[in-house]
Amino acid sequence: MVGPLTHKLWRDLWRMKGQAAAIAAVIAVGVLLLVMQTGLVTSLQETRDAYYDRYRMAQVFAPAARAPNHLVERLAEIPGVTAAYGRVTGSALIDVDTRALPVQAQAISLPDRGEPPVNGYLLVDGRHLDTRQEDEILLLESFAAAHDLHPGDRLSATMNGARRHFRIVGLAQAPEFLYVAAPGEIIPDDARFGVIWMSRSALAAAYDMEGAFNEALLTLGRSAREAEVLAAVDRILDPYGGLGAYGLADHGSDRFVTEEIAGLRATSKSVPPIFLGVAAFLLYIVMTRIIQSEREEIGLMKAFGYSDREVALHYLRMVLVIAGGGAVIGALLGILAGRLQVQVYLEFYKFPFLVFRIDPAALIWGVGLSMLVASLGGLMVLARVFRLTPAAAMRPPAPADYSRTGRIGAAFNRFLDQPSRMVLRRITRQPVRMAGSTVGIACGMGLSVAMISLMASFDGTIEHTFSVADRSDLNVSFTHAVSESAIFALQRMEGVIEVEPIRHVPVVFRNGLHSYQGALSGLVPDARLFRALDSDDREIAMRQDGVILGAALARILQIEPGDRLSVEMRQGRQEVLDLPVVGIAETRMGAPAYMELTAMNRAIGEPGRVSGAYLRIDTSLSDDIFERLNDIPTIAGVSLKSDSREAFQRIMDTGAGAVRYVMAFIAGVITFGVVYNAARIAYAERARDLASLRVVGFTRAEVSFVLLGELVVVTLLAIPIGSGFGFGLAWAVSEAFSNDIYQVSAYPDPSSIGTAAVAVLASAVFSGWMVKRQIDKADLVLALKTRE
């Protein structure tokens, strides 16, 4: 049997359905993001680990120039190593009909017999190789899909300077290519990078590697110490041109997947509590109004025998119903959003499958936390219920003391009409309540400013990277470090306006306990096409006595200008340099480091060498230039900046970056909910007063002005407060989004304030219009009734 208090609960909820729905929506958003993002973290992490385990992903990678096959046995004998495998790899250029430029590719050997013991592959179409046929290859499935290639098709590729023709017999995926990017690049693009698997004997013949390997792969036991294994591998491979062994955490594909998971985990911990905090604040305001307006009802309930606990529990149930309803809706929407988002990740990361897995802990945590936060907001008010005795509750509340605030607006009275004076008195005589409404709207304003600023920051990252720092049209990379005469050959090409050399050297940076495996880039002193810039976009001059670090790398290494950095070169004489950090460059993509080109070559012991070049060209002659570049055997790849920019934009619009659009929409909805709540609360508190004004002769417009004028003032006060809060929130969220792939810098953007302010004002206008309709339809007799 349903009791009287339960009947009252449902009547009260129906009466305040608009406000309850707005608060429940805020809670639902927080739970939605928590369930979606924690589910994505669980799905990505568990699928990656299972994929690695099923296809024997290596834990150690050790490239070398040329090592004899018998060294594999020595590598396998290192303590902690469970399996060792040597393979041949090489760069290639694939000719495709859909592009004027050849596409970079990596060629990988497969054993002539059986499957590779480490770093296996998944055949998704066609058949396995017949190692007796040297022209048969497997092709990376994502690359084949981008160029509409299928088993049975033929393609041509340049390997080690020679043109070869192949027949595709199968399409494959592999765990080491979850994130597909060309060597030396961090932007993935299925159409611009491919992987070819072919028999060991055929690939060894193509790269003069008979009886040798140039990359060792190792798996480790649970008790293995990776640092000791890496040191042992380096000792064995150093005489054979070892380029430095590194662990799985430094593997390009795994690093980006891990960064994506870390970004999702960070936002799942930082963003949802903000929404739940706003919901708790709104509940506090609403419950305060309800307790104050229902003083007489509380007194009657206590007079009829209901205990303090029963009355308080009645109002607490109201809070829990609102919070619980929002949490359940948010959990269901979070599951739906997560299932939709995994489809995006399947396109971005090359998993064979990805099923959204609900994290039970996230569901429990999301629903429980929302109920707890809502309860805390309600309990702060419910303490007043216990203090009310029946006699005190059934008496009208004591008039507020306005003696100290009544003169604030006295100087303005002669300039204001009666409705305006009423608005001013309301604001000055109830400053705490007005401050609460202002803070509530400021929270909504802050969310909007943060999300709009974040979207502008993503766009700023693209603009800074591809227009300010990089002013070239394309860049070329060579198969190996070549002499500077290659630069002169490029300069002599018709249509080439400007050429700027660069050299990338693989290195390991160390600063105490902090280390990072990356590359040191040598730039010319007067660089024009690709520049290192400071935080004010001013060019940083290259120096021969030190290194310039990107801001992201400096943060990873916990280092500042003036500190000294250990740089372990992985080419040439493989010197270990002790260099001062002479500057920090503002970088929005990757974690680069720069040094003056001549000084870097001198340190390596290979003067006058370059590994690539940036070009500015006459676009009207681009086809001729591309054709001539194709004929140069030492060129490993050509990358158009426009293609890179387009690919980078896709990164920003997918994965964790796509969440910013969802959050921006949600912020707009919450802004409206907060403003609408403030307007409804103000109307509920003053319904009798407004009806009285109508009875004594005020017009509908004047009565509406008395109520909505207060809303306008509160909204205008909230805008600057919300702007400051928004920039602080934007900084926190941008830190969560930033990773090794790209860095999002939150900076004050006047346009974001303007856009958010327009959104808040539009919400205020629409909310005011809805409340005005209620004022116009109000039953004056019913509104003036009182139970005294």
Side-chain angles (χ1 to χ4, degrees):
M1 182 176 178
V2 179
L5 289 183
T6 302
H7 279 296
K8 181 180 184 303
L9 171 65
W10 294 116
R11 284 198 303 269
D12 290 343
L13 287 172
W14 179 254
R15 187 179 69 249
M16 55 177 290
K17 55 184 177 294
Q19 296 163 264
I23 297 172
V26 178
I27 294 174
V29 167
V31 177
L32 181 155
L33 291 174
L34 182 63
V35 171
M36 180 187 72
Q37 292 179 327
T38 53
L40 288 173
V41 168
T42 301
S43 301
L44 288 171
Q45 188 165 303
E46 292 189 356
T47 303
R48 179 197 61 182
D49 294 344
Y51 195 24
Y52 283 179
D53 182 66
R54 172 66 180 81
Y55 293 97
R56 308 170 298 280
M57 183 69 168
Q59 280 89 48
V60 171
F61 298 78
R66 194 178 193 277
N69 286 337
H70 67 81
L71 289 183
V72 173
E73 296 179 2
R74 289 184 58 191
L75 295 173
E77 294 171 354
I78 296 174
V81 174
T82 58
Y85 170 58
R87 68 181 184 181
V88 176
T89 66
S91 61
L93 291 177
I94 299 176
D95 296 322
V96 291
D97 297 334
T98 56
R99 290 176 59 89
L101 286 170
V103 177
Q104 292 190 69
Q106 183 175 357
I108 297 176
S109 68
L110 293 177
D112 290 336
R113 295 180 181 178
E115 295 184 358
V118 184
N119 280 24
Y121 64 91
L122 170 65
L123 186 70
V124 296
D125 193 9
R127 62 172 175 83
H128 295 280
L129 295 177
D130 181 353
T131 55
R132 295 170 299 180
Q133 305 295 325
E134 294 188 352
D135 65 337
E136 290 188 357
I137 62 169
L138 301 180
L139 191 63
L140 186 66
E141 190 270 340
S142 57
F143 175 80
H147 295 284
D148 196 28
L149 295 171
H150 307 278
D153 293 344
R154 304 192 70 89
L155 61 75
S156 299
T158 301
M159 294 182 173
N160 201 23
R163 182 70 57 87
R164 300 174 183 271
H165 303 281
F166 300 101
R167 182 162 54 94
I168 304 170
V169 298
L171 306 180
Q173 293 180 332
E176 61 180 309
F177 296 108
L178 286 178
Y179 185 91
V180 182
E185 295 189 18
I186 62 174
I187 302 174
D189 191 344
D190 293 340
R192 295 194 303 119
F193 179 71
V195 179
I196 295 172
W197 288 271
M198 55 192 299
S199 67
R200 171 68 178 266
S201 56
L203 193 59
Y207 288 94
D208 299 324
M209 285 286 172
E210 292 89 346
F213 64 89
N214 59 7
E215 185 176 33
L217 306 176
L218 289 76
T219 57
L220 307 179
R222 294 184 178 181
S223 60
R225 296 187 178 183
E226 184 178 282
E228 295 178 2
V229 173
L230 294 178
V233 171
D234 285 340
R235 285 195 299 270
I236 294 173
L237 295 182
D238 275 349
Y240 305 95
L243 300 178
Y246 58 89
L248 179 59
D250 290 319
H251 184 267
S253 174
D254 182 79
R255 176 184 288 175
F256 293 135
V257 176
T258 302
E259 287 288 347
E260 184 74 16
I261 294 172
L264 286 170
R265 183 179 287 113
T267 53
S268 69
K269 292 180 179 179
S270 60
V271 176
I274 295 172
F275 293 97
L276 297 180
V278 172
F281 180 76
L282 292 177
L283 276 170
Y284 173 80
I285 295 175
V286 171
M287 294 305 299
T288 300
R289 194 271 302 171
I290 291 175
I291 297 300
Q292 184 169 356
S293 64
E294 294 189 356
R295 284 173 55 91
E296 297 176 4
E297 296 180 23
I298 293 172
L300 285 172
M301 286 188 285
K302 290 188 175 184
F304 276 105
Y306 288 100
S307 65
D308 290 343
R309 185 184 64 83
E310 290 174 316
V311 175
L313 184 60
H314 162 71
Y315 289 101
L316 182 59
R317 281 196 300 167
M318 181 183 298
V319 172
L320 294 179
V321 168
I322 296 173
V328 171
I329 293 172
L332 295 175
L333 292 177
I335 295 172
L336 176 62
R339 289 178 175 174
L340 295 175
Q341 188 71 4
V342 295
Q343 299 304 315
V344 176
Y345 279 109
L346 273 176
E347 296 180 6
F348 189 61
Y349 295 109
K350 309 310 174 186
F351 289 101
F353 63 88
L354 186 60
V355 179
F356 181 71
R357 186 178 182 278
I358 302 169
D359 186 357
L363 281 175
I364 297 172
W365 179 250
V367 174
L369 182 62
S370 62
M371 302 286 277
L372 175 63
V373 171
S375 300
L376 291 176
L379 288 173
M380 294 175 64
V381 182
L382 294 181
R384 303 178 187 180
V385 175
F386 288 95
R387 293 196 298 265
L388 285 174
T389 62
M394 296 177 67
R395 288 197 305 267
D401 182 11
Y402 295 140
S403 60
R404 289 175 294 176
T405 60
R407 296 183 180 181
I408 294 178
F412 298 95
N413 285 342
R414 58 179 176 173
F415 303 108
L416 303 175
D417 56 13
Q418 186 62 34
S420 300
R421 290 199 294 272
M422 295 176 70
V423 172
L424 183 61
R425 282 199 297 271
R426 167 81 172 180
I427 294 172
T428 56
R429 291 179 177 179
Q430 294 182 326
V432 176
R433 185 169 300 176
M434 294 303 102
S437 298
T438 300
V439 171
I441 297 175
C443 288
M445 169 77 178
L447 289 172
S448 294
V449 170
M451 294 306 104
I452 296 172
S453 296
L454 188 63
M455 294 174 72
S457 297
F458 272 80
D459 295 336
T461 295
I462 295 176
E463 184 66 20
H464 181 274
T465 301
F466 295 101
S467 295
V468 181
D470 184 355
R471 300 189 295 187
S472 67
D473 295 318
L474 59 89
N475 69 80
V476 300
S477 56
F478 299 109
T479 55
H480 58 280
V482 298
S483 68
E484 292 179 343
S485 61
I487 300 299
F488 301 141
L490 293 175
Q491 290 174 334
R492 289 194 296 268
M493 284 188 183
E494 183 181 0
V496 174
I497 301 172
E498 192 172 0
V499 180
E500 190 170 280
I502 190 170
R503 184 172 187 183
H504 303 291
V505 177
V507 299
V508 176
F509 301 100
R510 299 190 190 278
N511 177 40
L513 298 177
H514 305 284
S515 64
Y516 184 85
Q517 180 151 350
L520 182 61
S521 300
L523 303 182
V524 295
D526 54 346
R528 289 170 41 84
L529 300 185
F530 186 85
R531 306 174 297 163
L533 305 173
D534 63 15
S535 57
D536 295 323
D537 288 341
R538 294 174 301 193
E539 185 175 348
I540 302 176
M542 292 294 106
R543 291 169 50 178
Q544 297 190 3
D545 59 342
V547 62
I548 297 169
L549 301 183
L553 182 56
R555 184 169 59 250
I556 293 170
L557 297 174
Q558 298 291 299
I559 199 167
E560 297 179 353
D563 296 342
R564 301 195 72 84
L565 177 66
S566 174
V567 182
E568 300 176 10
M569 297 288 185
R570 296 301 187 181
Q571 278 187 4
R573 296 179 303 195
Q574 299 193 10
E575 298 281 349
V576 178
L577 307 180
D578 181 42
L579 298 172
V581 177
V582 296
I584 302 296
E586 181 68 18
T587 54
R588 308 286 180 85
M589 191 169 68
Y594 308 109
M595 189 175 180
E596 198 273 329
L597 178 59
T598 303
M600 188 179 77
N601 279 334
R602 186 168 54 249
I604 299 173
E606 297 179 352
R609 296 282 175 170
V610 297
S611 62
Y614 288 90
L615 279 68
R616 189 162 61 89
I617 65 173
D618 182 350
T619 54
S620 64
L621 300 175
S622 58
D623 290 341
D624 294 336
I625 295 173
F626 297 159
E627 185 175 351
R628 287 195 292 272
L629 291 175
N630 290 343
D631 295 332
I632 300 177
T634 56
I635 290 183
V638 181
S639 176
L640 287 172
K641 187 175 72 173
S642 58
D643 289 342
S644 299
R645 181 168 188 153
E646 182 180 346
F648 191 48
Q649 184 68 61
R650 285 197 298 271
I651 293 178
M652 294 295 195
D653 294 336
T654 55
V659 177
R660 74 190 195 275
Y661 294 112
V662 178
M663 293 171 63
F665 172 76
I666 289 172
V669 173
I670 290 178
T671 299
F672 170 74
V674 171
V675 176
Y676 177 71
N677 242 311
R680 282 297 304 269
I681 291 172
Y683 173 68
E685 289 177 338
R686 305 188 65 188
R688 190 170 185 273
D689 295 340
L690 298 174
S692 300
L693 293 177
R694 288 287 309 281
V695 171
V696 299
F698 278 65
T699 65
R700 290 179 177 178
E702 290 173 327
V703 172
S704 300
F705 177 81
V706 171
L707 177 65
L708 300 181
E710 172 189 327
L711 178 63
V712 170
V713 173
V714 169
T715 301
L716 293 177
L717 290 174
I719 288 177
I721 299 174
S723 300
F725 169 67
F727 283 130
L729 179 60
W731 179 85
V733 176
S734 67
E735 286 294 306
F737 272 116
S738 298
N739 52 44
D740 275 7
I741 308 173
Y742 52 79
Q743 292 82 49
V744 181
S745 300
Y747 55 90
D749 181 13
S751 65
S752 65
I753 297 178
T755 304
V758 169
V760 170
L761 293 175
S763 299
V765 171
F766 186 67
S767 300
W769 174 75
M770 295 180 67
V771 172
K772 184 180 184 302
R773 291 180 61 195
Q774 292 181 321
I775 296 174
D776 295 341
K777 294 178 181 179
D779 187 331
L780 301 183
V781 176
L782 183 63
L784 290 171
K785 284 183 178 180
T786 182
R787 298 183 297 272
E788 297 194 15

